[in-house]
Amino acid sequence: MIVFLNGEFLPVEQAHVSVLDRGFIFGDGIYEVIPAYNGKLLRLEQHLTRLKNNLDAIRLTDAVSDMQWEPVLKELLSRNEPGDMGVYLHVTRGVAPRDHTLPDGVSATIFAMCNPIAPPARDLKNKGVAAITLEDSRWKNCHIKAISLLPNILLRQQAIDAGAVEAILIRDDEATEGAASNVFIVKENVLITPPKGPFLLPGITRDLVLELAAKNNVLHEERTIKASELHNADEIWLTSSTKEILPVTQLDGKPVGDGSPGPQWLKMFTLFQDYKSKV
Ligand code: PDD
């Protein structure tokens, strides 16, 4: 596997970062995951806009202002195996003596790699996946795609330990998102997802699903989802760059709707695959 680190393409075994890197010491950095289908990056512009917003949010924009992302990502893809990839991009505040104060004159650490993403499994259409609800124990800046993911990791693992694949997070009696995905429900043929704000990541897949809904006359709303609405939904979906659109057919051990992926999911899944194939 070839990775990109601070201007160089290297075999992963030769890519090294200092133990004083603020990413390692503080989790002081942000990241992106961009899906690429046969070398074509999906929604690159939107991902790079979000990257820029994240760099602004953590006051790191100037440190990477020279970076030309697109040629680097394309070269990275061409230097690795063909196939569908999740391109992982990671920027930290760089190497400095340990001090909470932001250091002056430090170069950011810039890292990128690709990991294969599996196409949605065939039996997904028949079965869907299980999720559980958990209290959203994260901070109030969840719109920042921060590399410090300890709460998300622990929440996801609690879901795995319960035999589910994802935790759907509840804050003040409202569903926010999954531990690593956005959440949608369908009620009486209306697609509903929580509005953007500090309690969830503005997912690129989420936006694409809303765009496809608008273009294809699917009724949709961006509004808060009460925990009780989540539990009474006809359908629940999770979206992310690596999961695409995943139907949740069991929530907290009970069937969602009739317990199989719903008709609205199948419609959106088909629209999404069609969009992907035209990239
Ligand atoms: N995670 N919310 C959270 C907390 C996420 O971590 C992710 C994605 C999403 C979906 O965003 P997008 O559609 O832009 O992928 C929502 C990535 C895939 C990850 O951490 O690997």
Side-chain angles (χ1 to χ4, degrees):
M1 173 158 95
I2 301 295
V3 303
F4 174 86
L5 180 65
N6 296 328
E8 281 183 283
F9 292 94
L10 300 163
V12 67
E13 301 78 18
Q14 290 170 28
H16 299 294
V17 178
S18 164
V19 290
L20 287 183
D21 193 279
R22 289 177 63 99
F24 181 63
I25 296 286
F26 288 124
D28 181 2
I30 51 95
Y31 76 106
E32 257 311 312
V33 179
I34 312 175
Y37 298 102
N38 282 318
K40 301 269 188 313
L41 291 147
L42 192 79
R43 299 240 138 179
L44 177 62
E45 194 189 323
Q46 289 84 345
H47 279 280
L48 292 182
T49 300
R50 185 171 68 184
L51 179 71
K52 163 86 171 51
N53 293 340
N54 282 305
L55 290 167
D56 287 346
I58 70 160
R59 303 162 66 162
L60 199 53
T61 314
D62 292 347
V64 291
S65 54
D66 295 342
M67 188 64 195
Q68 298 295 315
W69 294 107
E70 189 168 348
V72 166
L73 300 185
K74 288 189 171 155
E75 176 146 6
L76 182 66
L77 283 167
S78 72
R79 285 178 183 238
N80 281 285
E81 301 284 310
D84 296 346
M85 291 284 181
V87 180
Y88 178 84
L89 266 182
H90 175 114
V91 184
T92 80
R93 208 177 304 276
V95 180
R98 185 180 182 279
D99 183 341
H100 288 65
T101 311
L102 301 189
D104 284 330
V106 169
S107 304
T109 299
I110 302 176
F111 171 64
M113 66 177 165
C114 328
N115 294 303
I117 44 177
R122 267 172 194 275
D123 66 351
L124 212 62
K125 278 196 197 146
N126 306 323
K127 278 179 35 196
V129 299
I132 60 168
T133 52
L134 289 176
E135 190 187 328
D136 195 342
S137 54
R138 302 172 304 160
W139 65 338
K140 293 181 179 171
N141 287 306
C142 297
H143 61 296
I144 301 175
K145 204 162 168 60
I147 59 170
S148 35
L149 286 173
L150 197 49
N152 306 61
I153 290 167
L154 294 174
L155 289 161
R156 163 67 67 80
Q157 192 57 42
Q158 237 181 294
I160 303 295
D161 294 347
V165 307
E166 182 64 304
I168 299 180
L169 308 178
I170 308 291
R171 190 189 286 258
D172 296 334
D173 203 36
E174 288 169 1
T176 54
E177 60 179 343
S181 54
N182 289 112
V183 67
F184 285 80
I185 64 166
V186 175
K187 190 70 189 174
E188 285 157 8
N189 292 325
V190 182
L191 182 60
I192 308 164
T193 197
K196 289 179 187 173
F199 297 141
L200 57 101
L201 188 81
I204 306 298
T205 321
R206 169 197 181 277
D207 285 355
L208 177 54
V209 165
L210 288 174
E211 195 179 297
L212 291 172
K215 278 195 185 133
N216 293 281
N217 304 317
V218 176
L219 296 175
H220 58 282
E221 289 175 4
E222 288 176 81
R223 64 158 176 85
T224 54
I225 299 172
K226 290 267 173 221
S228 58
E229 287 183 284
L230 182 72
H231 284 102
N232 291 311
D234 299 333
E235 298 183 26
I236 301 176
W237 312 343
L238 301 169
T239 65
S240 86
S241 293
T242 47
K243 286 198 195 77
E244 301 187 347
I245 311 169
L246 202 54
V248 175
T249 46
Q250 214 192 71
L251 184 69
D252 294 333
K254 299 203 180 85
V256 176
D258 68 2
S260 57
Q264 293 294 334
W265 172 78
L266 188 57
K267 180 173 178 179
M268 187 54 72
F269 175 83
T270 310
L271 291 170
F272 191 87
Q273 298 308 319
D274 184 51
Y275 179 90
K276 241 173 74 176
S277 69
K278 291 185 182 138
V279 168

